Amino acid sequence: MVKEYEAKYKDIYDTLKKKVIDNHIICIDDYLLELIERDKQLKKYSFDEKEEFKQKGLVKLRTLYETEKECLNLKLISYLNILDEDSDAQAKAHAHSIIQSQNTDKPMDNKYYFIVTNTKIKYITSVSEFMDAITKHPRINSMRERLSKQIEEQNIQQKTPTRKPNSKESYSLEVTSEEIITDLQKVFKNIFYRGHSKVNYSLLPGIFRDNLLQYESDMYFDLLVKCPKDFRNSNRHLDILKEMQHYGMATRLLDITANPLVALFFIVSGQEEFDGEINIFNTESETVKTNYSDVIEILSALATFNIDIKRTLVNDALKYVETCENNENIKIDKRERISEDSISKFNDEKSTKLLLHEIRQHVGDFQPIINPYDLFNTYFVRPLQNNDRIIRQDGLFIVAGLGMNPAQEEYKHIQNSINKHRFTIEDDNTPIRYIIPAQYKKNIAFELSLMGISKQYIYPELESISSHIKKEYSNK
């Protein structure tokens, strides 16, 4: 037994509780596995000792949960608990687990999750199951039913005999199939996806991880200075951030896609031992901006300021916006109601003038007015499709603003501002999370490859295609 870690289980339990409140869902087994990979002392132990640490940890964590579950807004559930709520998934998962039990010691019921009480989990075990889950999602069904009703009512009205002026003939109009398809496309127009190879991965842009925010401006200008030729065609701050993101720099951009199969690829192309998750967003048209949006330029320009100026911007902006009672969120819905006088006073603040000056250096026609609410919001942006990778990936970004307290690395507000766009079950606004169990990643990757969604498609650069061809022939 790994005795020296007995005392640490309580600390692990407290950490898990905090993480699940932030993320709404945490796979305990995967968290312990990640801990084993990170901890220098645990890495030294044998395979059996690591397994003992994990199994003892699961028992200890369940025991701790049982002692206080009545006062928690959390649930501890296993694979089978989740599958019991979804008969279709249960039948498929059970069939697959019987087959896989011949080749693996990892049965389907051995993983446990902490979830916020009102969260629903849907397991995805194949591409077809995922596409079916999207098209039959309660919100999509609701949209489709409303659309069908409108079409039906329109057809009834248009099929009613109507006389042409000065004519005895009657005629009728019918909605064409093209019109129906166009309307259905509108339903999915603002639905976007992001794949996580690990379910425990937080939905945050890279700059808000690993205490990097305090170095954002340093990283930004270091890269510009060292690689100026790579940014010679980048005129706006968003263009610069997009190029940095492309080459792996941590930025305030979060990659998303309009193609659900691309999101699935990113889930199953790595971290095979961990459960993955596909995040689905449904947002309003007003939240989806273009490359040339002023508000996108405002948020992108924040990358140029050090942590002290960011903190001053937050404090100045908080004078003019309304916050929720817990002070974790800004009442973004009040944005349009802010008075012109408040906006004018905010734009007279020294920190705001610095931001305006930075923007005007890149965008001369920028309207020199900043609404303080915009600094705390997140927006979806359709960037210029000016490279093969972003075209193939059908790529977009979520651009994040400022946290409530950037100096203390607290990003609850940013997580909330992103999470509010997640799909929910419409009737009671229940969050729904789509999980891909580790056992099914290889199967889904194979199905995607048959559809042409592979590494060489996602990354069309010469290096990636060469690697793919080499791997293909090496396996013959």
Side-chain angles (χ1 to χ4, degrees), residues 306-323:
N306 63 42
I307 197 69
D308 292 328
I309 297 178
K310 287 187 178 80
R311 180 171 51 196
T312 303
L313 267 170
V314 168
N315 292 335
D316 288 342
L318 287 174
K319 301 173 189 176
Y320 306 99
V321 301
E322 291 187 44
T323 60

Side-chain angles (χ1 to χ4, degrees), residues 294 298 313 335 338 342-344 346-347 351-353 355-357 359 366-375:
D294 280 355
I298 292 168
L313 267 170
R335 180 187 184 278
I338 186 172
S342 293
I343 292 178
S344 177
F346 173 66
N347 282 264
S351 63
T352 313
K353 288 181 178 179
L355 179 56
L356 286 167
H357 177 69
I359 294 170
F366 177 84
Q367 186 178 9
I369 300 174
I370 298 177
N371 187 319
Y373 279 95
D374 289 334
L375 295 180

Side-chain angles (χ1 to χ4, degrees), residues 106-163:
K106 196 176 186 181
M108 278 296 295
D109 61 346
N110 77 333
K111 283 196 174 182
Y112 282 82
Y113 276 80
F114 262 139
I115 66 171
V116 173
T117 302
N118 67 333
T119 301
K120 178 176 174 60
I121 296 178
K122 168 73 177 175
Y123 275 124
I124 302 297
T125 62
S126 67
V127 174
S128 59
E129 186 175 4
F130 173 60
M131 298 306 296
D132 191 55
I134 295 175
T135 56
K136 290 184 178 179
H137 185 280
R139 179 165 289 186
I140 295 298
N141 272 337
S142 178
M143 294 178 187
R144 194 156 39 191
E145 287 172 5
R146 287 198 298 269
L147 178 60
S148 298
K149 187 175 181 180
Q150 291 171 1
I151 293 173
E152 184 179 352
E153 291 174 352
Q154 187 178 354
N155 275 329
I156 291 173
Q157 293 173 3
Q158 292 180 337
K159 287 180 179 180
T160 303
T162 307
R163 294 189 181 279

Side-chain angles (χ1 to χ4, degrees), residues 1 5-13 16 28 32 52-67 76 114:
M1 181 178 178
Y5 277 89
E6 276 290 301
K8 287 196 174 183
Y9 288 135
K10 180 63 169 65
D11 293 336
I12 293 172
Y13 176 71
L16 283 172
I28 299 175
L32 292 174
E52 182 181 6
F53 167 80
K54 181 181 171 183
Q55 295 305 322
K56 294 287 185 182
L58 287 170
V59 173
K60 185 67 175 179
L61 293 173
R62 290 200 298 268
T63 301
L64 289 169
Y65 168 76
E66 289 296 329
T67 62
L76 178 65
F114 262 139

